[in-house]
Amino acid sequence: MYGNDHEWANQTADKIYEKMKMSARRSENKIPYLTVNGIFDDCSDNISWWTNGFYGGQLWQLYSAYGDEIFRSSAEDIENKLDKSLMDYMGMDHDSGFKWLLTSAANYKLTKNPESKNRVLLAAANLAGRFNPAGKFIRAWNSWGGERNEGWAIIDCMMNLPLLYRASEETGDPRFSQIARAHADTAAKAFVRENGSVNHIVRFDPDTGEVIGAMGGQGKEAGSSWTRGQGWAIYGFALSFRHTGDEKYLETAKRSARYFASCIPESGLIPVDFCQDKELDWEDSTAAAIAACGMLEIEKYVTETEKSFYHETAMKLLKTLEEKRCNWDLNTDNILENGSVAYHDEKHNFPIIYGDYFFTEAVFKLCGKELFMW
Ligand code: GLY
């Protein structure tokens, strides 16, 4: 059974490579976010946008696995462009992990480039500076439609914590890791519900640290289950376990993963929110790919009897994406179709760059080609 999955993953990895060879040539000097008429857009002018590390990360995955120079040079170009964001205080929010783990930390891992290491440590120091000691959480954003948000934290931040773990590993200074663990402990209590589902946003009083309440954020409403947020929790807590060995993070990741698995529809296609109105056909392929990465990570740390549950769940998600939601046309830049940004947006079911990144990472994990960057 697993042998077949390995073969499937190898074949899918090669299909990703064939596509990326073409799209990387068409996309030199771009930092893609969305796809317009089959062609990647370019976010270079909005350099602090939170998704600006994903394409670089995908290029490093491809470079590490297949070695084509164009992947490396394009990834380095993105990393250099991101320096402008590092120098913009208001452009720096909690998403530094997404931006610099997948670019500079990847480059440093592969080439030992000292400039990349410097960027990783600067980004980590800025992220650590967002910690609120009263509430023991990392502040998410710098603004939200004009509302004060010094006390807002979001579940997505679990994916940024590895930047702090890595900074401690690199420098020997435990403060970064202590902050990451303090945030993860708070998130486990304040975001994760008894059944493993999670809130997207939790508001704290930034002065006292008291929890004020949860918000629906990019999901349907407070108390609902925005599927990408569920994915961030599954993978994020699994990564905190990987870096710390603290069993409670693995337990939390498993609880969220079991909840996610219990909500997967027969079709295998993931809605934008598990509490979504039944007549809506909105999907989030990105949530499926992120959750699959998390399940494959959990699979590594559980007993033999538990492994097959996480493995099979990941395979169902990935094979469904490959069969029904991958665009293998070599003239179209994106791989995954049918992502979504937020439940209350007007537009749904369109490609988004992080869907491609996490789909690639999951497939590469399965066939042993992954460059682990978290
Ligand atoms: N981190 C923002 C999102 O997942 O859309």
Side-chain angles (χ1 to χ4, degrees):
M1 168 182 63
Y2 285 16
N4 287 344
D5 293 342
H6 192 262
E7 199 181 309
W8 172 87
N10 259 318
Q11 285 166 1
T12 308
D14 286 346
K15 289 204 289 195
I16 292 172
Y17 172 53
E18 290 307 319
K19 258 199 89 121
M20 286 285 293
K21 263 199 297 193
M22 303 285 284
S23 65
R25 261 187 242 126
R26 288 191 295 266
S27 312
E28 270 187 288
N29 306 121
K30 283 188 186 177
I31 310 183
Y33 171 44
L34 304 174
T35 310
V36 181
N37 299 326
I39 300 297
F40 282 145
D41 68 355
D42 181 14
C43 246
S44 300
D45 288 340
N46 184 11
I47 197 61
S48 294
W49 185 234
W50 77 277
T51 65
N52 282 352
F54 289 109
Y55 188 62
Q58 204 182 353
L59 292 164
W60 282 119
Q61 291 287 1
L62 270 290
Y63 177 70
S64 168
Y66 294 94
D68 302 28
E69 271 307 302
I70 189 165
F71 298 140
R72 186 188 57 76
S73 59
S74 297
E76 284 177 351
D77 177 55
I78 292 172
E79 184 182 346
N80 289 329
K81 282 182 175 158
L82 280 170
D83 283 352
K84 205 171 157 204
S85 179
L86 259 187
M87 290 305 294
D88 175 12
Y89 181 74
M90 288 307 285
M92 294 292 285
D93 58 22
H94 76 138
D95 281 327
S96 295
F98 287 125
K99 287 194 268 181
W100 282 282
L101 282 169
L102 302 182
T103 54
S104 301
N107 190 356
Y108 180 58
K109 186 168 186 173
L110 287 174
T111 69
K112 291 281 164 242
N113 177 357
E115 286 176 21
S116 299
K117 174 178 165 179
N118 188 46
R119 290 172 176 124
V120 168
L121 296 180
L122 284 172
N126 184 278
L127 181 59
R130 301 184 71 80
F131 185 65
N132 179 311
K136 297 188 171 41
F137 66 88
I138 291 173
R139 178 183 176 184
W141 301 301
N142 295 329
S143 63
W144 176 276
E147 259 190 83
R148 307 280 317 234
N149 63 1
E150 292 84 351
W152 293 21
I154 69 174
I155 192 64
D156 323 27
C157 190
M158 290 305 301
M159 293 298 294
N160 291 314
L161 301 185
L163 182 65
L164 299 175
Y165 295 127
R166 278 191 183 266
S168 278
E169 284 152 19
E170 197 53 49
T171 61
D173 184 337
R175 291 173 304 154
F176 300 100
S177 173
Q178 286 163 356
I179 287 173
R181 292 183 72 144
H183 179 90
D185 291 348
T186 302
K189 283 190 224 124
F191 286 78
V192 187
R193 307 179 191 120
E194 198 51 42
N195 69 354
S197 68
V198 297
N199 295 307
H200 182 205
I201 301 177
V202 173
R203 283 173 65 195
F204 298 84
D205 180 319
D207 293 313
T208 65
E210 224 175 289
V211 173
I212 297 172
M215 297 163 74
Q218 285 161 253
K220 185 181 174 199
E221 59 203 2
S224 75
S225 301
W226 177 51
T227 54
R228 190 159 63 251
Q230 314 305 302
W232 295 142
I234 297 167
Y235 201 11
F237 279 105
L239 291 171
S240 269
F241 172 74
R242 178 172 174 143
H243 283 282
T244 66
D246 188 331
E247 287 286 337
K248 74 173 175 293
Y249 301 141
L250 183 59
E251 278 312 310
T252 308
K254 283 163 61 175
R255 191 149 43 94
S256 286
R258 286 196 298 268
Y259 169 77
F260 194 102
S262 74
C263 296
I264 298 175
E266 194 53 40
S267 66
L269 298 167
I270 300 305
V272 177
D273 194 303
F274 283 130
C275 303
Q276 184 165 304
D277 298 341
K278 293 287 170 252
E279 71 277 8
L280 298 174
D281 67 352
W282 303 342
E283 292 171 24
D284 192 358
S285 54
T286 75
I290 296 159
C293 282
M295 305 262 179
L296 293 175
E297 197 60 32
I298 293 171
E299 182 193 350
K300 296 179 191 162
Y301 311 118
V302 295
T303 59
E304 282 306 313
T305 41
E306 285 179 286
K307 273 186 198 307
S308 68
F309 173 78
Y310 298 100
H311 184 85
E312 293 309 329
T313 308
M315 291 315 301
K316 169 143 178 115
L317 293 169
L318 294 171
K319 286 188 172 172
T320 303
L321 289 176
E322 198 274 320
E323 281 163 25
K324 299 182 183 169
R325 294 295 177 258
C326 280
N327 183 331
W328 296 119
D329 173 6
L330 297 182
N331 295 312
T332 300
D333 285 343
N334 62 283
I335 300 170
L336 279 195
E337 305 283 356
N338 288 19
S340 159
V341 171
Y343 189 89
H344 291 289
D345 281 357
E346 275 175 19
K347 213 167 165 258
H348 288 276
N349 297 345
F350 54 89
I352 317 179
I353 195 67
Y354 41 86
D356 285 11
Y357 174 77
F358 284 102
F359 181 71
T360 301
E361 186 186 306
V363 170
F364 282 22
K365 266 187 208 298
L366 276 164
C367 58
K369 287 186 164 70
E370 181 196 20
L371 173 69
F372 183 76
M373 307 184 204
W374 301 102

